[in-house]
Amino acid sequence: MCGIIGYIGKGEAAEVLINGLFRLEYRGYDSAGIALIADGDIFVRKVAGKVKELAQMTSGQLPHSHIGIAHTRWATHGVPNDINAHPHIDCRGRFAIVHNGIIENCRTLKRFLEEKGHKFISDTDSEVIPHLIEEFYNGDLIAAVKKALNQIEGTYGLAIISLANPDRIIAARMGSPLVIGKGREEYIVASDLAAIISYTDQVIYLKDGEIAEIRKDSIRIESRELGLVTPEIEKVTWTLKQIERGGYDHFMLKEIYEQPIILRDTIRGRLNYEEGTARLNGIADYIDDLRDADRIIIFACGTSWHAGLIGEYMIESLAGIPVEVEYASEFRYRKPVLSQGSICIAVSQSGETADTLAALREAKRQGVPVLGICNVVGSTIARETDAGVYIHAGPEIGVASTKAFMAQVMAFALLSLLLGRQKRLSLDEGREIIEAIRKVPDQLSQLLKVLPDGIKAIARKFKDHRNFLYLGRGYNFPVALEGALKLKEISYIHAEGYPAAEMKHGPIALIDKEMPVVVIAIKDAIYDKVISNIEEIRAREGIVIAIGSEGDEQLKKNVDYAIMVPQTLDHLYPLLTILPLQLLAYYIAVFKGLDVDKPRNLAKSVTVE
Ligand code: G6P
C-alpha cells in the first residue's frame, strides 16, 4: 500500500527511481511523484494517475542527480490529485519526504504546526512530517527526524532527503515495510524487493523503530530501543525474470500459468513417500504443539483467508484437530480469548498485511505461539512468527492473488497430511494423498492447455452481466468465495460466494434468467446434494455454469455450460477447481477492457488498517 523508493549513489537517480516506481506500482497507483536534489535545490514533480503519467510528464526533463526519493500512492487521507501526491515538502522546500502508512494524530500535529506558522497545501496526513522536521531542525538532521517521529502516532515507512545534507537519505520504519538494497557505491531503499532486485541481491530489512542514515558508500542504523545496530545483510533469491511479464499480457495471466511450477516448488523436498507423510522443517519444533492443540486458530485477510478456510476443512477432517478461521481484522479487536493449548497460524502472501500482523501480535501478547504461512521471505510476519512455512510462490505482482492462493492451499494440504499421519491416517492413506498431491501440477498444466478457449467463450457471453452467484460445498465452498472475489476485484461485477445449500435461505430470491450461477459440482462426498441445488437453480431459469469432474456426462447434460477438471481426492479438489474461476474472472475483465493488474481502489499489500 503506497510504494516508496529512495536512491543515493553513482547512478542516475531519476532513472532508478522511475524504474523502481514501475516495479512498485502494484502497491498503489492513484498518483505518483519524484523529488531529486540538483543544483542546490529540491526538484519535485508529481501527478495524479499512474506511474506512466509521471514518466511521460517528466520524460527528458528531470535534472541529473545522484540522490532522490519517489512514491506511488494509494490514497488514505485526501483525494488522489497532483497536490496530495508525494513527495511532500516543508514551507521552504528544504526537506522532502515520501511516506507509506498513516499518521493517526495528524490533525493535532497540523494544528500545532499551523500555530507555529507552518503552511499546509495538501489534505494528506503525510505533509505534517516535513513540517515537523522543519520545526525541529537545528542543524542536525537525524536529531530533527527523531524528534519529529517521536510526535507521530501511527505507522510509517519513510524516506527523507534534505538540502542541508545532500549526501544522505534518511529512512525510518514503524509498521510499514522498508528494505534497503546495498549495491556498489549505491543504496536503494524501497517498500519491497521488487524495486531493488534489478540492482542488487544484498539487502537489509529495516525493523520497526529503526532509522537508517544512508550515504552512497555507508549505512548507519539506529534502533529506538537498542541504539546503534550492525546492519544484517541478507541475500535475496528472487530473480529479475520473476518480476517481469515475460510475454504475457498481464502479470495475473503469467501467474495463473506459473501455478504448476509453483506447486512443484511448494512441495519440493517436503513429501516423504516411505513414511506416507510430509516434512515441514520450518515448523518442526511446533509439530507436537499443533498435534496436541485444543484449537488451531488461523487468521488472515482476503484471499489468504479463503486459503485458511480450506486449511480448516483439511486439518479437521484429516487430523481431527479443532480449527477456527478468523478475519485478522476482527480477531485483533474483538478481545479474543486464547487458551494456553491454542496455537495460531497467520497466513499472508505479502507478510505485511497490517491486520494480520496486529492479530499475530495480539496472540503473542497472550502467550500463544504463532506460526506463519507466508510467501515473502524476510517479511514482517515471517520474521515475527515463531516459526513458519514458506510457500515459495515467488513474487506475486498481479493485484488479484492467484498463485499465492494455490501455494497456500498446497501448504495446508502438506500440513494436514503431516498432522493427519500423526493422528489418524494410516500409512496407505498417507501414501495415497502423496500420490494425488504429486499429480496436481501436471493436472493443472493439462487444464491450462484445454480450458482457455471454452472459458473465453463463456467470458464473452457474460461480461456485461451485473451479478454472479458462486456456489460450492465442503472444500469447494471457500473456492466459491475466492472465485467471486476474483470476479469482483478485477471486473467490478457484483459477485457473491455462498455455500450451495445456503442458497435456499436468501440468494435464491435473486435467481432469474439473467443470473449466471457458477456451481462447483465435482464428484466428491456431497455431489448429490450439489446436484439438487443445481436443479433448484434450473427450476427458476437461472443459468448454470458448472465446474465438474471429468467423466461426469450426466452433469454436462443438466447445465448450460460445463467446465471439467480431472478427478482427485476430495480435499485436493480446490487446487483444480479454482483454476477455471481464475481464468473466468481474468477473461471477463480483459473483455471488458479493464486494467487487470491494477484494478481500481485496490492495492496488493494492505499495510494500513
Ligand atoms: C489485499 C490483496 C489480496 C490479499 C489480501 C491479503 O487485499 O489485494 O490479494 O489476499 O490483501 O494479503 P496478504 O498479503 O496478507 O495475503
Side-chain angles (χ1 to χ4, degrees), residues 301-304 347-351 353 356 399 401 408 489 603-604 606:
C301 302
T303 289
S304 298
V347 189
S348 175
Q349 185 284 125
S350 62
T353 302
T356 311
V399 168
S401 178
Q408 287 164 343
E489 282 179 312
K604 183 76 186 156
V606 182

Side-chain angles (χ1 to χ4, degrees), residues 381-403:
I381 293 173
R383 278 188 283 120
E384 291 200 15
T385 40
D386 295 290
V389 177
Y390 279 121
I391 58 172
H392 302 306
E396 190 177 63
I397 312 281
V399 168
S401 178
T402 51
K403 64 176 183 174

Side-chain angles (χ1 to χ4, degrees), residues 61-258:
Q61 292 177 28
L62 292 172
H64 291 295
S65 166
H66 299 292
I67 174 167
I69 53 179
H71 189 273
T72 175
R73 179 167 186 248
W74 187 90
T76 57
H77 289 65
V79 296
N81 61 23
D82 297 0
I83 292 175
N84 289 336
H86 295 221
H88 289 289
I89 55 173
D90 63 314
C91 297
R92 279 175 283 174
R94 290 183 304 162
F95 307 97
I97 67 105
V98 283
H99 169 225
N100 171 25
I102 291 195
I103 314 288
E104 282 158 6
N105 59 338
C106 68
R107 286 217 189 103
T108 320
L109 293 175
K110 205 165 168 182
R111 225 175 300 124
F112 158 77
L113 288 160
E114 277 170 345
E115 277 165 19
K116 300 260 180 197
H118 292 263
K119 297 266 175 290
F120 286 82
I121 54 169
S122 78
D123 303 319
T124 66
D125 54 340
S126 310
E127 198 189 354
V128 299
I129 302 169
H131 289 281
L132 281 172
I133 298 172
E134 177 179 39
E135 180 61 30
F136 296 129
Y137 184 69
N138 207 355
D140 180 344
L141 179 61
I142 279 281
V145 170
K146 278 193 205 160
K147 271 195 183 166
L149 297 183
N150 283 340
Q151 305 297 314
I152 289 175
E153 287 163 24
T155 56
Y156 50 81
L158 268 177
I160 304 162
I161 51 173
S162 99
L163 272 188
N165 297 95
D167 62 340
R168 72 200 71 167
I169 293 179
I170 309 295
R173 167 186 167 142
M174 183 61 75
S176 302
L178 273 188
V179 194
I180 300 168
K182 180 183 184 306
R184 273 224 210 133
E185 286 181 63
E186 61 182 2
Y187 280 91
I188 303 167
V189 53
S191 306
D192 69 49
L193 288 175
I196 293 179
I197 57 179
S198 44
Y199 299 95
T200 176
D201 60 0
Q202 308 286 305
V203 301
I204 301 157
Y205 295 97
L206 212 62
K207 302 190 182 80
D208 275 353
E210 287 184 344
I211 300 183
E213 194 173 358
I214 310 165
R215 294 165 208 243
K216 79 174 187 325
D217 43 19
S218 69
I219 183 164
R220 182 180 174 279
I221 300 181
E222 209 180 315
S223 148
R224 216 179 244 192
E225 280 142 30
L226 309 169
L228 263 195
V229 293
T230 314
E232 288 166 34
I233 298 181
E234 297 181 36
K235 194 169 155 51
V236 181
T237 52
W238 284 4
T239 62
L240 193 56
K241 195 168 160 225
Q242 286 177 302
I243 58 165
E244 293 189 326
R245 264 196 284 128
Y248 286 92
D249 288 344
H250 298 97
F251 278 108
M252 183 178 174
L253 191 63
K254 177 187 179 219
E255 288 160 4
I256 289 173
Y257 273 82
E258 277 174 354

Side-chain angles (χ1 to χ4, degrees), residues 274-278 318-319 416-431:
E274 206 172 318
E275 291 176 25
T277 188
L318 270 61
S416 58
L417 167 62
L418 196 165
L419 295 175
R421 279 287 289 133
Q422 299 227 345
K423 298 282 269 194
R424 58 192 196 192
L425 292 179
S426 68
L427 175 64
D428 284 348
E429 284 168 322
R431 285 181 171 173

Side-chain angles (χ1 to χ4, degrees), residues 297-310:
I297 299 150
I298 297 171
F299 45 73
C301 302
T303 289
S304 298
W305 185 80
H306 295 154
L309 273 184
I310 298 174

